[in-house]
Amino acid sequence: LQKVSEWTIHRLSTYHRLLSEFESEGREYISSHELAHRAGATPAQVRRDLSCFGTFGTKGRGYFVADLSSMITSILGIDRDWRVALVGAGRLGSALFSYKEFRRRNFHIVAVFDSDKSKIGKHWADVEIEHPDALKAVVSKHQVDIGVIAVPSDTAQSVANAMVDAGIKAILNFAHRKLFVPDGVALRNVNMAMELEALSYAMSRNRRLR
Amino acid sequence: LQKVSEWTIHRLSTYHRLLSEFESEGREYISSHELAHRAGATPAQVRRDLSCFGTFGTKGRGYFVADLSSMITSILGIDRDWRVALVGAGRLGSALFSYKEFRRRNFHIVAVFDSDKSKIGKHWADVEIEHPDALKAVVSKHQVDIGVIAVPSDTAQSVANAMVDAGIKAILNFAHRKLFVPDGVALRNVNMAMELEALSYAMSRNRRLR
DNA sequence: TCATGTGAAACGCTTCACAGCT
DNA sequence: AGCTGTGAAGCGTTTCACATGA
C-alpha cells in the first residue's frame, strides 16, 4: 500500500463529478485525455492518479465510465452515509446546514451545537440545537463520524479538543485559525479569509509588474 | 523577482495573524522558531518564506514584531480596501455577506447579484440585490476588484465568464466545479464538498488499515 | 493504430546545515 | 552564544516517453 497525496484525492473528487456528467451524457468510454481536459489536468496525471488504486482502463479504449465512477465512489468512501455534527449555529452554520451538495453526497448533519442560550432548544428542520457540553453524549448516541467547526476563531481549538475527546476522527474547520489535533484524526480546513488574501496578493503583484 | 509558491502565501497569512496576537501580547521580538511552532511549520520554512521578499530579521535576535507584521501586510496587499461583488444571494451568499472576517480585512462587498426575481430589489444592509445583467456596469461604476461566486455549480462558469468580461481580475469560487479563466485572472476555489470527500477517504482508509 | 500503465527524468518545495552577523 | 539567511541536499509530485496490450 503506497502513499497517496491529498492532491490526488482532490482530483479524484473532480474526476468523479465529471464521470457523473459523462454517464448522464450516455458516454460509455472515456480516455484519460478527455477526462484530463475537462478536469484541468494532464492525461498522464489522470493515469498516474488512478494507477495508485489499481488498473481500471482498457488499452486502446480508455476507461469504462460506469465502472470507473463506481470504483472512485468506493475509493473515496462515499458509497455509504456519513453522520456529521455541526458546532456553530450562526449564519455560516446555517448556510452549511442547508447546503444541498452535502446531502447529495450522503453527508447528513444529525446534530447542531451552539453555546448561545437564545439558540439552544430551537430546531433546524428536525434537528434541535444543543449546548456543546452535550457533544460527547450526542456523538456516541448518533455515532457521529465527522465534526464541522463553524465558530469564531477564538473558540475553534477548544471545540476541536472537545470533538477529539468525544471520539470524532474527522474534522472540517471553517475557523480562520490553524488547529492542532492528534495523529489519527483527519483535519481539513476551509479558510475563506486566507483565499481572499491570496487574491489580494495576486492583484497587488500584477499591478506591480505592469 | 522570483516565483513564490501559493503555499508560501498561505503561510504568510498565518504568520500575519499570529503576529497580531504577539503584538497584542506586547512581544517585541519573535524568533522563527517560536513563530513556526505556533504556525505549525518549521523554523527553516518561516525563514525561507520571508526571504522571498527581503531580509527582515536581526541575526541573534529574531524579527521585530511590528515591522514584520506591517511588511507582510504590505506584501499581501491588505494595506488597502478591496471592493467585492457577490453573485448568488442564497444562504451561502448571505453567510458570506455578513462574514465579519472579510470586513475586518478590508474586503467590502459593494454589490450583490442574483437572477431570482423575488430577490432583486431587496436590500442587504445598504446594498441592493441586482440582476446579473447589471454586472458589467456595476463593476466599472464601483471599481470592483474581486468577484465571489456563490451560485449553483451549473451556472458558475457562465458567471465567471461574465466577471471576466466585466474586467474583474480576481475570482473566489464557492461552486463545486472547476472553473476556467484566462491568464491574468486570479482564481481561488473553496470547495466544501471536496474537503468532506477527503475526510471520507481518510476515514475509509483508516478503517481498512486496522 | 490507439490509449493505458509505468520506469525514469524533471521540477518544485522542504529541510539541512552552516557561514555570518549581533 | 544565538539566530538569521541561504547554498545544497533531500524528497515528493508531475511530466515525459515508451513498452505493452487491445
Side-chain angles (χ1 to χ4, degrees), chain B residues 4-77:
Chain B
V4 179
S5 87
E6 72 181 60
W7 299 295
T8 293
I9 300 305
H10 275 200
R11 284 189 298 267
L12 285 184
S13 279
T14 303
Y15 305 154
H16 185 251
R17 181 176 49 72
L18 292 171
L19 287 166
S20 303
E21 292 178 11
F22 285 121
E23 240 175 333
S24 62
E25 286 168 17
R27 295 290 305 273
E28 277 209 313
Y29 279 89
I30 192 79
S31 68
S32 60
H33 187 84
E34 197 168 353
L35 192 51
H37 180 72
R38 291 263 284 255
T42 65
Q45 187 149 65
V46 169
R47 296 200 299 274
R48 177 71 69 189
D49 285 339
L50 296 176
S51 77
C52 295
F53 301 97
T55 63
F56 308 115
T58 309
K59 301 188 187 213
R61 289 277 256 150
Y63 300 90
F64 189 66
V65 174
D67 284 359
L68 185 56
S69 179
S70 72
M71 279 310 305
I72 296 182
T73 300
S74 153
I75 290 165
L76 290 178

Side-chain angles (χ1 to χ4, degrees), chain B:
Chain B
L1 191 60
Q2 67 184 298
K3 217 219 155 239
V4 179
S5 87
E6 72 181 60
W7 299 295
T8 293
I9 300 305
H10 275 200
R11 284 189 298 267
L12 285 184
S13 279
T14 303
Y15 305 154
H16 185 251
R17 181 176 49 72
L18 292 171
L19 287 166
S20 303
E21 292 178 11
F22 285 121
E23 240 175 333
S24 62
E25 286 168 17
R27 295 290 305 273
E28 277 209 313
Y29 279 89
I30 192 79
S31 68
S32 60
H33 187 84
E34 197 168 353
L35 192 51
H37 180 72
R38 291 263 284 255
T42 65
Q45 187 149 65
V46 169
R47 296 200 299 274
R48 177 71 69 189
D49 285 339
L50 296 176
S51 77
C52 295
F53 301 97
T55 63
F56 308 115
T58 309
K59 301 188 187 213
R61 289 277 256 150
Y63 300 90
F64 189 66
V65 174
D67 284 359
L68 185 56
S69 179
S70 72
M71 279 310 305
I72 296 182
T73 300
S74 153
I75 290 165
L76 290 178
I78 48 180
D79 51 353
R80 50 157 286 183
D81 288 351
W82 294 103
R83 280 174 291 276
V84 178
L86 168 66
V87 180
R91 281 180 188 267
L92 178 60
S94 159
L96 295 174
F97 186 83
S98 55
Y99 191 50
K100 293 188 191 96
E101 212 67 48
F102 286 172
R103 206 153 309 166
R104 192 178 306 159
R105 279 145 214 288
N106 301 327
F107 293 98
H108 304 282
I109 297 180
V110 297
V112 178
F113 301 90
D114 200 298
S115 55
D116 180 346
K117 277 174 188 161
S118 69
K119 286 173 183 158
I120 293 170
K122 291 194 173 162
H123 282 73
W124 281 0
D126 55 348
V127 179
E128 184 180 337
I129 299 176
E130 297 178 74
H131 190 278
D133 288 347
L135 193 82
K136 193 163 189 171
V138 172
V139 163
S140 63
K141 183 180 156 206
H142 287 309
Q143 298 188 52
V144 168
D145 306 293
I146 299 173
V148 173
I149 299 180
V151 300
S153 314
D154 50 352
T155 51
Q157 182 65 59
S158 67
V159 169
N161 295 346
M163 284 178 171
V164 170
D165 183 54
I168 285 179
K169 291 278 182 279
I171 295 175
L172 181 58
N173 171 43
F174 285 85
H176 180 60
R177 146 158 307 209
K178 174 104 185 167
L179 296 184
F180 294 89
V181 296
D183 281 356
V185 177
L187 172 65
R188 305 286 321 170
N189 297 287
V190 173
N191 199 321
M192 299 173 272
M194 215 175 252
E195 300 302 335
L196 278 180
E197 290 181 349
L199 289 177
S200 166
Y201 168 77
M203 284 187 289
S204 308
R205 220 173 86 95
N206 282 346
R207 200 152 301 180
R208 238 175 281 142
L209 291 176
R210 273 186 232 126

Side-chain angles (χ1 to χ4, degrees), chain A residues 69-80:
Chain A
S69 179
S70 70
M71 278 311 305
I72 296 182
T73 299
S74 152
I75 291 165
L76 290 178
I78 49 179
D79 51 353
R80 51 158 284 183

Side-chain angles (χ1 to χ4, degrees), chain A residues 85-101:
Chain A
L86 168 67
V87 180
R91 281 181 187 267
L92 178 59
S94 159
L96 295 175
F97 187 83
S98 55
Y99 191 50
K100 293 188 191 98
E101 213 66 48

